[in-house]
C-alpha cells in the first residue's frame, strides 16, 4: 500500500477546482464491482475459463476476504458453476458462503447466462433462470447450495429490452431490474429529462400486479473507462508468471489528482441525469477482475482519498452491491413515472448502427436451439409420466435425469445474448451446436427407452418396415399430420389395434430415391400412438383399403420473371375446407387466397428478395453479425420459377422453385406449401385453418441478406404486430427516419407476427426466430438468412464476419381470416408448431407385435383451451420447501452431492390470452389440479411457488414503489390473482402460475430417492401466510 503522508498537500492543490458551491448533501456514489463474462462469443467457454474466468472468482474471493468494505456482484453463473465444481478448494467454498452471508458477494440475475431478450423464447428464458436439475445452474442451484434467492437483475448487454423480461423477473421475486442497451436517441432524451428510472409494467393484462422498478444505465453503459488496472486477458491461457499489462496506470502520489478529477467529474455529470442523490457507478467491464488484487489495491486509496474530502468534493463513494444501491433508492421514497407494456426495440447505437441484423444471423443455430428446446419439453413430461404413478425397474432414474440435465444445460447456455443471436465466432457456434446435439441425443435415447418395447431392437429376420411411436407433449388432444421418410413407395400403416390409418405417400422433396409418408393422427394430451409401417404390394386405389394413398404430381414449366402487371386470367387453385389458394400459371407465383370464414378473397403474392450489403469500409457502413445496413431496397435474386403440385387425398403440396438464372439446374430458393384435406370439425380446426410453408434458402452469394416478402391487399398502413419472446404482442408503427429507415423498422419475431385491416388478418407463425418488417402498405417481410463479409480489421481478427455458406429450411405457418377467428387460433396454433408430436422410429420385423403397455394406458392430461402446460417436470431439487428448515439444514452441513429427489414434480401453467382479447378464451379459468393430473396418480400436496420455484408463493413479498399516477390507476381492477384453494386454482389472463406437486408416494419410487421428510411434518416458516399450501390428509 502506498504512503498517504502527502495527502494534505495534494488535497489543497486538488480541491481548488472544486471550491464552487456544493449541495448540502453530497452525492452518494455506489461503486459496484463486476466482470462481464460472455458465455461464448469470440472464445469458447473452456478457453475463457482458462484465460480469465476462473481467475475472476479465485482472486475476487481472496480480495473480498482481505477487506470487509469490498463488494462484488456475480452475474453469468455458468462460469461460477465450472469454477465451483472443478477448481474451487474446500477453503474457497467456505469463504464464498461467508461472503454471501455477510452480503459482500451478491448473485444478480442468478441464471446460467445473461439471456438474450429479442429472439429467445420466454420458455427458454425461464429455463436458464430456473435451472431444473440438481447440481445444475440457475436459481435452483443457488438456493439448494447457499439458501439465497437473487432479487435484482443485471441485463446490461442484451441488444434491446423486451417487455416480457420485467414480467418474468417480477414473477421470480426481483425487486429491481437493470438494463442498458436501448435506442441511443431515446436514452439521450431520458437522460436529459431524468427519466432513466421508472416503474415498468411489462404486461397490459397483469399491469401493476407484476410491475418492477427499472434502472437504465446511462450513456457510459456498464464499463468504467480509465479505472481498470488488472490488464488484458491473454488467450488461450493465462501467462505462466501471472503478469499482465495493466490497462490503466497504477495510482501513485504523483497521479492521484488525475484519478480524483476523472472520477468526480464523471460522477457529477452522471448525477444530473437521475432524480435522487444516489448514483449507481458500475466498476468493471468485459473480462475484468481476473487479477482482483490490482483492481482493489488501486481503487481502495482512491475511494479513501475522496471520502476524506467528501464535504469539499461533494461526493461520497463506497463499494456496493445492487442490493445496497436499490435499498438506498427505495428508502428515498420518490414517486416514479410508469412505463406501460411497450418494449425498447429495436436497439440502435447510432443512426447507422441498427442492431436488427442478428434477428436472422446464423439461422441454422436458431433452428437447432428451438428444436432442442422442444425435444426437452417433450422429454420432461414423458419422463414425469414414466415415473408416476409407478416407474418401471428397467430404467435407471439417475441416468434419465442426467440425460435431461445435459440438454437443460445446453438449451440454457444457448440463450446467452451472443449465442442464439448468432453473433459469435464459428468455433463458438460449433461449441453451442455440439452441446445441443449431444444433449438431444441423450434425451432421444431416454425417450426411446421409455416408449419402446422391452425386446431387443435387432433380429435375425429381415426388417419389413418401421414401428413408430408418436408422443403428443401438449396438454390438449391434437389432430395433425406427421411426416416420415421411408425407402418404399407402397406402404400400409396400422395403429396399435391393427386398424388401417389414413396416410399418403409421395416422392420426397429433399431426398432422391426416398418417399415422404404423411400419417393423419389424433393424440390425446401427453399420450402416445403406436403405428406399424409396412411395405405392401399395392396402393389404396388398388386394394380398396384405407391405407397410404399415392399422391400424384403435376409439373409446370418454368416461368421467367416478368414486369408487374394485373394477373388473373390463367389461375389454378388448390383448396380444402378452409381455404382456396389461387396460383398464377403465367408466373408460377401465389396470386390470392379465398378464406371461407369471411368469404373474402385477399390478394397474396410471395417472392424471395435480397438486400445487398457493402463489404468495404472505404465506401460506408457495413452489415455484420449484429447490424443490418442495406445499401438499397431489396432486389429480386431470381429470374425464373418452376412449380409442382403434389395432390393427394390427405394433403396437397405446392412446390415452387426459384432459380437465379433461367438456365440454372439447381434452385437457390424454394417454397413448399401444404394444405390438409380434413373436415372442418372439432379437433381438426387447427389443421384445416393453417397453410404450412417450409422454405429452402441458400447457399447465398456473398453479402446478401435474404427475405421472404408477402404482399397483400390488406390495408395495414405499415402497422405490424410482432411478439415479445412468444409471450405477448407489440404494435409496431412504421417510423420515418432520415437515414437507415429500412433497418430501423425491423423487429424480432420469436414466434409470431401479423398484419391486418378492418376485415382480415394475416398471421405468420414461426418455428424459429427471424426479423420481420412491414416496409409498405399490405406487405410483411421476414428475413430468413444472411451471408456477409467485410474488411473491418477487428471482425477479421476474431472471425466475426458471418460468412455463412449453409442452406437453411425455415418454417412458417399462415393463418388468414377475421380478427376474431385468428385471435382464437393464433396462440394454440403457434404451440402446435412449436411442440409438434415427437416421432420415434425403429425397424420392424415380421414377428414384431405392437402391444400397448402400461404407459400407453395412462389417462390423458387435458387442460382447457386457454391454458398451456408450460412445464411438467421432475427437477430433482433436494431442498426443503420450508425456507427456515432449509437454512437450518445448510447450517448443519454444507450440502454435498445429495441424491436427487424424484418425488417433487414441477408444474407451470400459463394463460394464453390477454384480458379482453377474446370474449370466451380471455375469461379466468378455474382448474382442479387433481382432475387434470389424475393420470399421474393421487395428488397428496400442492404448493404454489415463485416462477423459479425457490419461494413459497404465499411468503414472497417484493418492494412497493410509489408512482406518479393516482392510486385507482394502479391496476387493482386487473390484479385478480387468487391464491391456491385446496387443489383448485383460478388462473387469469396472461398469468403464469408455478406449483410443486407431491403425489402420494409408492415404495418403488421411494427406494430410488434420498430420504426426506413428509410435507406434513415440516415446521412453519416465520414469514406470514405459511400453511396455505394444500395437503391431502389421507
Amino acid at each position: 500500500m502506498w504512503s498517504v503522508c502527502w495527502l494534505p498537500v495534494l488535497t489543497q492543490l486538488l480541491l481548488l477546482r472544486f471550491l464552487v458551491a456544493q449541495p448540502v448533501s453530497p452525492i452518494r456514489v455506489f461503486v459496484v464491482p463486476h466482470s462481464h463474462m460472455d458465455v461464448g462469443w469470440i472464445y469458447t467457454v473452456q478457453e475463457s475459463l482458462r484465460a480469465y474466468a476462473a481467475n475472476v472468482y479465485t482472486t475476487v474471493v481472496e480480495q473480498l476476504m482481505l477487506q470487509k468494505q469490498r463488494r462484488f456482484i456475480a452475474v453469468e453463473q455458468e462460469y461460477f458453476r465450472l469454477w465451483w465444481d472443478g477448481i474451487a478448494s474446500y477453503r474457497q467454498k467456505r469463504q464464498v458462503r461467508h461472503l454471501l452471508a455477510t452480503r459482500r458477494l451478491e448473485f444478480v440475475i442468478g441464471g446460467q447466462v445473461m439471456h438474450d431478450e429479442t429472439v429467445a423464447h420466454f420458455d427458454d428464458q425461464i429455463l436458464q433462470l430456473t435451472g431444473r436439475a440438481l447440481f445444475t445452474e440457475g436459481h435452483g442451484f443457488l438456493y439448494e447450495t447457499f439458501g439465497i434467492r437473487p432479487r435484482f437483475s443485471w441485463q446490461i448487454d442484451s441488444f434491446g429490452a423486451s417487455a416480457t423480461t420485467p414480467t418474468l423477473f417480477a414473477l421470480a421475486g426481483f425487486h429491481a431490474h437493470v438494463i442498458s442497451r436501448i435506442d441511443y436517441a431515446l436514452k439521450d432524451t431520458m437522460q436529459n429529462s431524468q427519466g432513466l428510472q421508472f416503474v415498468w409494467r411489462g404486461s397490459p393484462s397483469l399491469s401493476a400486479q407484476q410491475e418492477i422498478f427499472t434502472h437504465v444505465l446511462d450513456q457510459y453503459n456498464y464499463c468504467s473507462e480509465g479505472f481498470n488496472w488488472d490488464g488484458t486477458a491473454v488467450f488461450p491461457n493465462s501467462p505462466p508468471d501471472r503478469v499482465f499489462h495493466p490497462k490503466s496506470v497504477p495510482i501513485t502520489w504523483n497521479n492521484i489528482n488525475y484519478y480524483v478529477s476523472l472520477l468526480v467529474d464523471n460522477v457529477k455529470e452522471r448525477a444530473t441525469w437521475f432524480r435522487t442523490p444516489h448514483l449507481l457507478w458500475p466498476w468493471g467491464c468485459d473480462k475484468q477482475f481476473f487479477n482482483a488484487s490490482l483492481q482493489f489495491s488501486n481503487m481502495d486509496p482512491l475511494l479513501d482519498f475522496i471520502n476524506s474530502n467528501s464535504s469539499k468534493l461533494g461526493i461520497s463513494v463506497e463499494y456496493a452491491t445492487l442490493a445496497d444501491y436499490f435499498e438506498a433508492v427505495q428508502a428515498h421514497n420518490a414517486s416514479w413515472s410508469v412505463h406501460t407494456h411497450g418494449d425498447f426495440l429495436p436497439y440502435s447505437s447510432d443512426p447507422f448502427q441498427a442492431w436488427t441484423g442478428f434477428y436472422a444471423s446464423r439461422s441454422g443455430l436458431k433452428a437447432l436451439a428451438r428444436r432442442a428446446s422442444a425435444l426437452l419439453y417433450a422429454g420432461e413430461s414423458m419422463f414425469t409420466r414414466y415415473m408416476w404413478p409407478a416407474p418401471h425397474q428397467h430404467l435407471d432414474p439417475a441416468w434419465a435425469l442426467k440425460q435431461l440435465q445435459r440438454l437443460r444445460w445446453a438449451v440454457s447456455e444457448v440463450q446467452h445474448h451472443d449465442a442464439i443471436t448468432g453473433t459469435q465466432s464459428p468455433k463458438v457456434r460449433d461449441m453451442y451446436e455440439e452441446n445441443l446435439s449431444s444433449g438431444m441425443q441423450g434425451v432421444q435415447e431416454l425417450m426411446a427407452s421409455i416408449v419402446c418395447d422391452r425386446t431387443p431392437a435387432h433380429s435375425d429376420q429381415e426388417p419389413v418396415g418401421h414401428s413408430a411411436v408418436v408422443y403428443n407433449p401438449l396438454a390438449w388432444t391434437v389432430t395433425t399430420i406427421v411426416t416420415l421418410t421411408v425407402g418404399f413407395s407402397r406402404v400400409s400403416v396400422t395403429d396399435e389395434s391393427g386398424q388401417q390409418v389414413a396416410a399418403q405417400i409421395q416422392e420426397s422433396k429433399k431426398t432422391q430415391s426416398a418417399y415422404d409418408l404423411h400419417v393423419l393422427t389424433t393424440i390425446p394430451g401427453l399420450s402416445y400412438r403406436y403405428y406399424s409401417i409396412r411395405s405392401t404390394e399395392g396402393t389404396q386405389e388398388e386394394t380398396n383399403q384405407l391405407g397410404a394413398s399415392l399422391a400424384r404430381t403435376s409439373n409446370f414449366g418454368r416461368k421467367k420473371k416478368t414486369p408487374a402487371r394485373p394477373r388473373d386470367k390463367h389461375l389454378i387453385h388448390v383448396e380444402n375446407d378452409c381455404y382456396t389458394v389461387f396460383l398464377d400459371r403465367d408466373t408460377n407465383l401465389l396470386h390470392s387466397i379465398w378464406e371461407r370464414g369471411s368469404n373474402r378473397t385477399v390478394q397474396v403474392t410471395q417472392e424471395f428478395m435480397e438486400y445487398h450489403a457493402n463489404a468495404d469500409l472505404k465506401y460506408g457502413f457495413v452489415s455484420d453479425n449484429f447490424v443490418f445496413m442495406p445499401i438499397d431496397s431489396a432486389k429480386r435474386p431470381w429470374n425464373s420459377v418452376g412449380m409442382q403440385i403434389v395432390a393427394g387425398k390427405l394433403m396437397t403440396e405446392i412446390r415452387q422453385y426459384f432459380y437465379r438464372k433461367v438456365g440454372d439446374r439447381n434452385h437457390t430458393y424454394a417454397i413448399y406449401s401444404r394444405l390438409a384435406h380434413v373436415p372442418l370439425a372439432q379437433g381438426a380446426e387447427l389443421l384445416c385453418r393453417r397453410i404450412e410453408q417450409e422454405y429452402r434458402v441458400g447457399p447465398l452469394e456473398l453479402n446478401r441478406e435474404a427475405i421472404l416478402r408477402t404482399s397483400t391487399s390488406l390495408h395495414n398502413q405499415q402497422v405490424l404486430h410482432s411478439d415479445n419472446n412468444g409471450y405477448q404482442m407489440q404494435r409496431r408503427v412504421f417510423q420515418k427516419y432520415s437515414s437507415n429507415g429500412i433497418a430501423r423498422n425491423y423487429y424480432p419475431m420469436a414466434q409470431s407476427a401479423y398484419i391486418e385491416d378492418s376485415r382480415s388478418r394475416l398471421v405468420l407463425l414461426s418455428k424459429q426466430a427471424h426479423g420481420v418488417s412491414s416496409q409498405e402498405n399490405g406487405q410483411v417481410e421476414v428475413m430468413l438468412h444472411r451471408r456477409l463479409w467485410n474488411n473491418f480489421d477487428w471482425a477479421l481478427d476474431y472471425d466475426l464476419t458471418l460468412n455463412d455458406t449453409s442452406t437453411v429450411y425455415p418454417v412458417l405457418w399462415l393463418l388468414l381470416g377475421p380478427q376474431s377467428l385468428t385471435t382464437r387460433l393464433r396462440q394454440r396454433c403457434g404451440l402446435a408448431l412449436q411442440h409438434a408430436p415427437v416421432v420415434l422410429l425403429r425397424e420392424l420385423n415380421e414377428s414384431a407385435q405392437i402391444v400397448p403397455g402400461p404407459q400407453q394406458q395412462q389417462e390423458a392430461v387435458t387442460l382447457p383451451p386457454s391454458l398451456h402446460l408450460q412445464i411438467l417436470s421432475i427437477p430433482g431439487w433436494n431442498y426443503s420447501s420450508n425456507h427456515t428448515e432449509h437454512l437450518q439444514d445448510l447450517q448443519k452441513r454444507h450440502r454435498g452431492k445429495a441424491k436427487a429427489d424424484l418425488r417433487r414434480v414441477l408444474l407451470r401453467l400459463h394463460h394464453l390470452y390477454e384480458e379482453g382479447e377474446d370474449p370466451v378464451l380471455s375469461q379466468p379459468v378455474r382448474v382442479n389440479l387433481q382432475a387434470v393430473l389424475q393420470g399421474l396418480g393421487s395428488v397428496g400436496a400442492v404448493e404454489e411457488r415463485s416462477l423459479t420455484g425457490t419461494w413459497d408463493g404465499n411468503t414472497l413479498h417484493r418492494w412497493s414503489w410509489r408512482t406518479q399516477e393516482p392510486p385507482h390507476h394502479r391496476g387493482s381492477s386487473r390484479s385478480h390473482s387468487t391464491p391456491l384453494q385446496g387443489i383448485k386454482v383460478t388462473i387469469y389472463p396472461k398469468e403464469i402460475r408455478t406449483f410443486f406437486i407431491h403425489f402420494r408416494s409408492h415404495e418403488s419410487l421411494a427406494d430410488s430417492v434420498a430420504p426426506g421428510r413428509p410435507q406434513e411434518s415440516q415446521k412453519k416458516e416465520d414469514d406470514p401466510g405459511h400453511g396455505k399450501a394444500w395437503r391431502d390428509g389421507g
Side-chain angles (χ1 to χ4, degrees), residues 532-602:
S532 292
I533 303 162
R534 298 174 184 267
S535 176
T536 64
E537 296 300 321
T539 65
Q540 176 184 347
E541 288 78 3
E542 295 168 344
T543 61
N544 198 29
Q545 294 179 349
L546 185 62
S549 62
L550 180 64
R552 303 191 182 279
T553 301
S554 300
N555 292 291
F556 299 83
R558 292 194 201 180
K559 301 297 181 180
K560 295 182 180 180
K561 179 172 60 177
T562 58
R565 56 181 176 80
R567 294 173 282 122
D568 56 8
K569 293 185 178 180
H570 302 93
L571 301 181
I572 57 175
H573 69 274
V574 175
E575 64 181 359
N576 67 1
D577 279 6
C578 298
Y579 299 111
T580 300
V581 174
F582 294 94
L583 299 141
D584 190 335
R585 285 284 305 273
D586 294 330
T587 63
N588 284 341
L589 296 177
L590 181 63
H591 175 274
S592 57
I593 301 173
W594 176 76
E595 192 273 316
R596 182 180 299 274
S598 61
N599 192 26
R600 182 187 184 189
T601 298
V602 177

Side-chain angles (χ1 to χ4, degrees), residues 637-887:
W638 49 271
N639 275 285
S640 65
V641 183
M643 183 169 66
Q644 292 178 324
I645 296 180
V646 184
K649 292 186 176 181
L650 189 58
M651 54 160 284
T652 294
E653 184 172 75
I654 305 162
R655 301 174 177 177
Q656 297 163 287
Y657 304 100
F658 294 74
Y659 299 86
R660 287 196 179 275
K661 298 179 181 179
V662 174
D664 280 355
R665 180 177 181 181
N666 298 317
H667 55 277
T668 302
Y669 295 98
I671 303 176
Y672 309 107
S673 304
R674 300 196 330 188
L675 271 76
H677 303 301
V678 293
L680 182 55
Q682 188 174 6
E685 184 179 30
L686 292 182
L687 180 57
C688 179
R689 291 197 181 278
R690 68 191 187 226
I691 300 173
E692 301 180 8
Q693 291 192 327
E694 181 183 18
Y695 313 99
R696 181 194 191 275
V697 184
L700 300 181
E701 295 180 348
L702 200 56
N703 290 309
R704 299 291 186 266
E705 303 178 76
I707 65 168
L708 174 76
R709 177 172 290 169
T710 303
S711 302
T712 75
S713 57
L714 300 179
H715 296 288
N716 74 313
Q717 306 300 318
Q718 294 177 277
V719 175
L720 170 76
H721 291 76
S722 66
D723 67 319
N724 269 166
N725 313 107
Y727 176 70
Q728 60 190 6
M729 302 301 290
Q730 296 286 341
R731 187 172 185 265
R732 317 292 195 183
V733 179
F734 188 89
Q735 303 293 322
K736 296 187 182 299
Y737 296 103
S738 59
S739 59
N740 207 20
I742 294 174
R744 296 183 72 180
N745 278 287
Y746 254 81
Y747 296 90
M749 177 178 68
Q751 188 174 49
S752 62
Y754 63 81
I755 59 173
E756 64 183 4
D757 60 15
S758 59
R759 295 181 58 195
S760 299
R761 175 184 292 172
L762 175 66
V763 178
L764 309 182
L765 299 169
S766 178
K767 199 170 184 178
Q768 66 179 77
H770 299 286
V772 65
S773 184
S774 179
Q775 297 283 333
E776 298 289 345
N777 182 39
Q779 282 187 358
V780 58
E781 62 184 51
V782 179
M783 187 171 288
L784 301 176
H785 198 17
R786 312 175 77 216
R787 183 186 176 193
L788 302 166
W789 183 92
N790 64 74
N791 61 358
F792 183 28
D793 289 342
W794 180 84
L796 294 174
D797 289 344
Y798 294 111
D799 203 2
L800 289 173
T801 60
L802 197 64
N803 189 5
D804 187 345
T805 59
S806 65
T807 299
V808 297
Y809 298 88
V811 173
L812 294 178
W813 286 359
L814 311 184
L815 308 179
L816 178 65
Q819 293 181 12
S820 58
L821 175 66
T822 54
T823 294
R824 178 165 57 85
L825 298 180
R826 179 181 61 83
Q827 292 276 31
R828 289 167 59 84
C829 204
L831 286 167
L833 174 58
Q834 180 183 359
H835 296 299
V838 177
V839 181
L840 298 167
L841 282 175
R842 67 185 302 185
E843 287 185 344
L844 182 72
N845 58 60
E846 193 63 48
S847 62
Q849 297 280 336
I850 291 186
V851 180
Q855 297 300 314
Q856 303 160 44
Q857 303 301 325
Q858 285 180 295
E859 190 166 344
V861 176
T862 305
L863 285 171
S866 55
L867 294 188
H868 169 47
L869 181 71
Q870 194 173 44
I871 192 65
L872 183 70
S873 168
I874 297 177
W877 295 319
N878 201 21
Y879 56 77
S880 170
S881 297
N882 182 291
H883 182 60
T884 302
E885 193 168 272
H886 176 52
L887 294 182

Side-chain angles (χ1 to χ4, degrees), residues 151 166-167 169-176 200 207-213 330 955-961:
R151 304 306 296 267
T167 300
F169 285 165
L171 289 168
F174 286 15
H175 291 313
W200 194 354
S207 190
Q209 179 187 351
Q210 299 300 344
E211 68 187 16
I212 192 168
F213 184 79
Q330 212 264 347
T955 64
L956 172 59
H957 300 288
R958 298 191 304 117
W959 291 347
S960 177
W961 299 83

